[in-house]
Amino acid sequence: MKNIVVVGSQWGDEGKGKIVDWLSEQADVVIRFQGGHNAGHTLVIDGKTYKLRLLPSGIVRKDKISIIGNGVVVDPWALLEEIKEIKDKGIDVTVDNFIISESANLILPFHKEMDEIREDSAGKSKIGTTRRGIGPAYEDKVGRRSIRLMDLRSEINLDKRLESVLLHHNAIRKGLGKKLFQREQLKKDLLKIAPELLKFSQPVWMKIDQFKKQNKKILFEGAQGILLDVDHGTYPFVTSSNTVASNAATGTGCGPDSINYVLGITKAYTTRVGEGPFPTELNDEIGELLGTKGKEFGTVTSRKRRCGWFDGVLVRQTIKVSGINSIALTKLDVLDELEEIKMCVEYELNGKRIDYLPASVEDQLKIKPVFKSFKGWKKSTNGIKNIDELPQEAKDYIYAIEDFVGTKISSVSTSPERDDTILIENPFEI
C-alpha cells in the first residue's frame, strides 16, 4: 500500500486537478483535506471539461471513493449545486462513492458577506480573496462557534449553535450598520437541505482506518499552493488554512504514518491570483503571452492570473517546507514559442544576495530576482508522451530545474489532456 499527498508547490493553479485525476486511476480513494470552494480544479477528459470546486478530482472516475475531509470548509448550497452540475454531465454521485466528514465546518451566508465587506473596505490593503467566505468560516472554526455538518442532525442542537455564531456575527454587523441575520430563517434554510447532505455524512477518520486495513491506496488532494499556506506562505496574502502536505493527516483524521509520498505539482513558469509579492512577475508582452497561451484565468473566479518566470528559489523552499519527494512539472508546452526562457536562482535584497524568501512581507516586496537564462526550443511539445521526443533545449531546462530545486521530476505534462503526460517515475510504484 502507498498513500500519496498531492500539493501545489507555488501559489496554486499548478494543474493539480489533471495530475490528481491521472493518479486516481491507480488509487482507490481520493480525499480533499483543506480549503473550500475557492479552489478550482479543471479536468479535460475525452474532450469534455469538468470544473470542480469542492468535489475531489476522483469523482469523475468509476469505482473510486471520493471524500471531503474535516479540514475542508463546506458551503452546503455550493456543494449541492456542484453535485447537480456533475450529475448533469453523466457522473454518478452517490452514498457509495462520496463521503463528507461529519466534522466538516459549514460556510454560511454571513461568512460570504463578511468576506466581501472586508475586501471592499480594505482598499489598497486588500488580500485578493475569492469572496467565498472561506476566511470567516475558518475564523469561526477556531473561535469554537462554527456550525458543523453533524449539527444539522438535531434541530435543538442547531438552534443552540446558531445562537452562538449569530451572537458574534450580528454584533459586528450591527456595528457596521448591516442588516442582522434572523436565526429562524437560517435554521429553516439549513434544515431544508440537511437530509440531502447528511446522507453523505460519515466519520472519515474511521473510514480511513478501514481503508488502511484493507490495503487501499489513498490519494490526498490539497487545494491552493504552499506559498498560500497561512503559516508558510507570503503572509498576510495567503489563504486561511495550512496547504502543506502534513495537513493531510490533520485535515482527514489519520496519523502522519499514513503519508508515504508527497508529490508537488509545479508549473514550468509561475502564476499568482490576487494581491501579494511576486518576485518574477512579468508585466510585459511575455507575461501576456504566458497568460494567453496558458489560459491563465481562475476556474472559480475567472480572474486573470499574474504571470512570471519560474522561481527556483521559491520552489526549492516549498519542497523543504512540505517534504516533497518529487515534482510533476506542468504546462511545459506553454513555453514553446519563446526565444529565451529564464529561471530565478537568487534574490537581491538591500544590495545583498540571498537564497531564500524572507518571512517579512516588506522584504518580499523589495527583493529583486537574479535570473539564469536558457535557450528556447521554438518547437511544439504539445501532446508529447516520451521524454526522448522532447527538443534538447526543453530537456536541458527540465534537468536544470531538477538540479536547482534538489528534487527529481517524476512527470511532465504537455497539455491539459489527461494522457498527455511524460511519466518518468510512478509514485505508486516506487
Side-chain angles (χ1 to χ4, degrees), residues 80-357:
L80 292 175
E81 182 182 346
E82 188 173 340
I83 290 173
K84 182 182 182 302
E85 286 176 8
I86 206 81
K87 281 185 172 181
D88 289 344
K89 292 193 174 184
I91 303 297
D92 286 333
V93 182
T94 70
V95 294
D96 295 320
N97 72 344
F98 179 54
I99 298 170
I100 312 172
S101 170
E102 60 182 2
S103 302
N105 290 257
L106 302 183
I107 300 174
L108 300 177
F110 47 76
H111 291 132
K112 181 179 178 182
E113 287 192 21
M114 184 54 64
D115 209 351
E116 293 171 343
I117 290 167
R118 287 177 180 169
E119 280 291 278
D120 290 340
S121 62
K124 293 182 179 180
S125 300
K126 66 180 180 178
I127 301 298
T129 76
T130 57
R131 298 170 178 255
R132 295 295 195 272
I134 311 297
Y138 273 116
E139 288 177 37
D140 279 350
K141 176 182 178 178
V142 175
R144 301 180 294 277
R145 55 182 171 264
S146 186
I147 307 293
R148 298 191 290 175
L149 182 58
M150 66 180 74
D151 293 324
L152 303 186
R153 291 181 184 144
S154 164
E155 184 174 343
I156 294 174
N157 181 58
L158 182 58
D159 249 334
K160 293 177 181 177
R161 301 304 305 149
L162 283 172
E163 183 177 2
S164 174
V165 73
L166 288 178
L167 179 66
H168 172 81
H169 279 274
N170 277 340
I172 297 173
R173 295 178 69 86
K174 184 176 181 180
L176 294 171
K178 301 294 181 181
K179 183 180 177 181
L180 303 188
F181 266 87
Q182 299 302 312
R183 182 179 60 181
E184 285 303 313
Q185 184 58 51
L186 189 52
K187 182 179 73 170
K188 181 180 177 182
D189 293 341
L190 285 169
L191 290 175
K192 182 179 179 181
I193 61 172
E196 196 63 28
L197 293 165
L198 289 172
K199 69 181 183 183
F200 299 115
S201 173
Q202 291 193 48
V204 165
W205 66 268
M206 188 182 295
K207 294 300 296 183
I208 293 176
D209 188 55
Q210 291 174 10
F211 295 146
K212 288 167 64 177
K213 290 175 180 176
Q214 295 166 357
N215 286 324
K216 290 188 181 294
K217 295 178 181 177
I218 303 173
L219 195 59
F220 296 91
E221 179 183 9
Q224 290 100 20
I226 297 166
L227 290 168
L228 292 175
D229 185 280
V230 70
D231 284 296
H232 302 288
T234 48
Y235 189 91
F237 300 96
V238 292
T239 194
S240 303
S241 61
N242 289 110
T243 60
V244 290
S246 54
N247 194 35
T250 307
T252 59
C254 62
D257 63 331
S258 299
I259 299 171
N260 308 119
Y261 193 95
V262 181
L263 178 65
I265 314 303
T266 308
K267 196 176 286 186
Y269 49 102
T270 310
T271 61
R272 175 164 200 168
V273 172
E275 309 301 318
F278 188 167
T280 64
E281 184 172 10
L282 293 168
N283 295 306
D284 57 15
E285 65 276 6
I286 295 178
E288 284 294 321
L289 185 147
L290 293 174
T292 301
K293 189 168 182 188
K295 295 181 174 61
E296 297 297 352
F297 295 91
T299 301
V300 171
T301 63
S302 296
R303 286 186 296 177
K304 185 178 180 181
R305 295 172 187 146
R306 300 154 64 190
C307 298
W309 294 119
F310 182 84
D311 194 328
V313 179
L314 283 183
V315 173
R316 184 175 60 189
Q317 186 165 323
T318 60
I319 283 170
K320 297 179 187 300
V321 167
S322 206
I324 291 171
N325 298 105
S326 76
I327 62 176
L329 193 68
T330 64
K331 292 199 169 185
L332 182 73
D333 56 304
V334 175
L335 305 177
D336 286 351
E337 299 175 17
L338 298 176
E339 294 276 357
E340 181 185 40
I341 296 166
K342 295 182 180 182
M343 176 172 72
C344 177
V345 295
E346 208 171 21
Y347 296 139
E348 185 178 294
L349 177 63
N350 299 325
K352 296 180 180 180
R353 295 287 181 96
I354 59 173
D355 60 358
Y356 67 97
L357 182 73

